[in-house]
Amino acid sequence: MAKKKSVLDFYEMKKKGEKITFLTAYDFPTAQFAEAAGLDMLLVGDSLGMCVYGYSGTVPVVMDQMIFHADAVRRGAPNTFVIGDMPFMSYQSSLEKAVENAGRFLKEAECDAIKLEGGVRIAPQIKAIVEAGIVVMGHIGLTPQSSGQLGGHKAQGRTAKTARLVVQDALAVQQAGAQMILLEAIPPEVGKYITETLDIPVLSIGAGPHCDGQLLIVSDAIGQFQAFTPKFVKKYANVAETVTGAMKDYVAEVRTGEFPKAEHCYNMIAGEEEKFLKLIKK
Ligand code: KIV
């Protein structure tokens, strides 16, 4: 069994140019599969709002939901670095609330780190959480919790001026003490510049191939999430098709009587059937 990696291992991997592998996970079985596949880190993302609960976005997700799912993932992947994602309004309104909710991921779900969205404007929260002794991953570029302000789920930093704003956010996150950062949906040129400029490991979800590691939403990567597919997604399986196909076969076999067969039934202990028939006739 591979040893669980720490944030120091991720710094070392950045130095050596070894890519960090990163997926989301929301439940026990998926976490088991991910650990068996050798993932370096797992994010219990608030994307579970869409991928598990069927909400149209991440905004309705609350802390308790995140803790329940993080706890399940922790049990499924005991030897993998697990990051809990701070949901909307669990850190924005005050530093105290941010520290308290970040701490819940460690105390109640044994997470190794937390992630939160925002750059310059969320730097005080990052600093406060880091000062409480918690490993923080920043998240900038397209930040889904504030997609209303961004005019939707749109790529960021596509002009020189907005790319500079993304770089300023990245610097603010590092300066506030975050030990890792995630860049979402920005051009590869900007991802490359930030990766080369920052000392901390830089993860990408739609930020090009130059970053220190790559993240995908597991429900996208295995072809489970149906509502939409962002440009940065590559599907490695078609679980929706496989599972729907299996369910259709089941429905057909139950309807025709093909299932269950004798091999799916429990035999009575020898001699008990006769006694049973006598008993029920009394
Ligand atoms: O919740 C999540 O899975 C995320 C990714 C979109 C980066 O934050």
Side-chain angles (χ1 to χ4, degrees):
M1 194 187 300
K3 185 179 148 281
K4 185 170 135 184
K5 291 192 171 76
S6 76
V7 75
L8 296 182
D9 294 308
F10 301 130
Y11 276 77
E12 203 53 35
M13 289 173 81
K14 178 183 176 96
K15 242 194 246 163
K16 290 183 183 159
E18 286 171 17
K19 295 287 184 185
I20 301 165
T21 58
F22 191 17
L23 269 180
T24 65
Y26 314 114
D27 56 43
F28 177 82
T30 308
Q32 283 188 311
F33 300 146
E35 186 156 295
L39 266 295
D40 293 314
M41 33 169 122
L42 292 175
L43 172 68
V44 186
D46 65 353
S47 49
L48 62 78
M50 291 176 287
C51 300
V52 177
Y53 287 92
Y55 304 148
S56 61
T58 58
V59 166
V61 176
V62 297
M63 268 308 292
D64 283 347
Q65 280 171 306
M66 295 305 302
I67 295 293
F68 293 144
H69 286 271
D71 187 35
V73 168
R74 171 80 292 160
R75 273 180 271 124
N79 296 306
T80 306
F81 193 91
V82 172
I83 303 171
D85 198 13
M86 305 275 291
F88 185 58
M89 279 303 141
S90 69
Y91 57 98
Q92 287 90 341
S93 58
S94 76
L95 300 187
E96 290 72 21
K97 199 165 176 184
V99 173
E100 200 171 303
N101 282 322
R104 285 191 65 191
F105 278 109
L106 275 69
K107 285 175 79 77
E108 297 175 43
E110 293 182 53
C111 286
D112 300 290
I114 64 92
K115 175 177 88 56
L116 77 180
E117 296 183 8
V120 172
R121 68 180 173 181
I122 226 69
Q125 277 85 340
I126 294 176
K127 190 165 182 287
I129 297 169
V130 169
E131 280 171 1
I134 297 169
V135 176
V136 172
M137 173 180 277
H139 176 177
I140 61 164
L142 168 54
T143 44
Q145 289 172 13
S146 44
S147 59
Q149 282 183 333
L150 303 176
H153 285 79
K154 289 192 162 63
Q156 302 296 301
R158 297 181 71 198
T159 64
K161 227 172 166 176
T162 57
R164 194 170 69 143
L165 290 177
V166 176
V167 171
Q168 284 167 353
D169 276 338
L171 292 169
V173 165
Q174 176 170 275
Q175 189 144 19
Q179 287 177 284
M180 294 178 282
I181 189 166
L182 175 68
L183 311 179
E184 179 167 353
I186 61 169
E189 298 83 351
V190 187
K192 182 171 189 282
Y193 177 80
I194 293 173
T195 304
E196 288 170 358
T197 303
L198 297 193
D199 298 324
I200 60 177
V202 177
L203 285 306
S204 155
I205 180 161
H210 310 290
C211 298
D212 300 312
Q214 295 293 330
L215 168 68
L216 278 179
I217 305 280
V218 71
S219 319
D220 289 332
I222 65 172
Q224 189 178 41
F225 184 68
Q226 307 275 283
F228 61 89
T229 305
K231 183 179 167 66
F232 54 72
V233 168
K234 179 171 176 184
K235 291 192 181 188
Y236 290 85
N238 196 335
V239 161
E241 204 175 284
T242 305
V243 173
T244 310
M247 289 178 177
K248 279 185 180 166
D249 290 348
Y250 169 70
V251 166
E253 289 197 2
V254 169
R255 285 186 179 147
T256 59
E258 175 81 6
F259 175 84
K261 284 197 167 25
E263 73 240 40
H264 305 117
C265 299
Y266 298 97
N267 295 326
M268 270 190 121
I269 292 167
E272 290 300 310
E273 187 182 355
E274 268 171 40
K275 287 189 217 163
F276 168 64
L277 292 173
K278 270 187 210 157
L279 265 180
I280 55 170
K281 274 182 199 152
K282 273 187 190 164

